[in-house]
Amino acid sequence: MEKSFYYAVSWLDAQQYKDQLDQEGIPYIIQSPLDLPGLEEGKLAIVFPSVPLRLYVWVRTLFFSDGKRYPDI
């Protein structure tokens, strides 16, 4: 999967976000600090591909902010 943007969330919140994204059928992967340099310990990154604007607005609303650009690793 091509990686475009991500949200850093706590381990405790990750399951709630996962459930909502799965219910809506939105594509994503979850990465740990081992997979994404710079991600804080105790956080997970929910990573998304490029998505249509309508879908991005839904995701942005779910997370209450804009996503962070996925670094070119």
Side-chain angles (χ1 to χ4, degrees):
M1 177 181 88
E2 155 248 347
K3 299 167 186 163
S4 179
F5 64 99
Y6 73 96
Y7 290 90
V9 300
S10 71
W11 283 75
L12 293 174
D13 292 338
Q15 184 64 47
Q16 175 188 345
Y17 286 118
K18 180 185 177 317
D19 292 343
Q20 290 182 294
L21 293 166
D22 288 346
Q23 184 176 2
E24 294 297 321
I26 297 174
Y28 69 93
I29 60 171
I30 296 177
Q31 293 187 318
S32 73
L34 297 174
D35 304 316
L36 181 59
L39 187 62
E40 294 177 45
E41 283 296 322
K43 297 277 186 175
L44 293 172
I46 300 181
V47 182
F48 298 89
S50 291
V51 295
L53 182 58
R54 170 190 62 78
L55 194 54
Y56 179 76
V57 169
W58 189 92
V59 170
R60 185 185 184 283
T61 301
L62 176 65
F63 288 92
F64 302 105
S65 66
D66 286 319
K68 295 180 183 176
R69 183 177 170 272
Y70 195 86
D72 297 325
I73 299 176

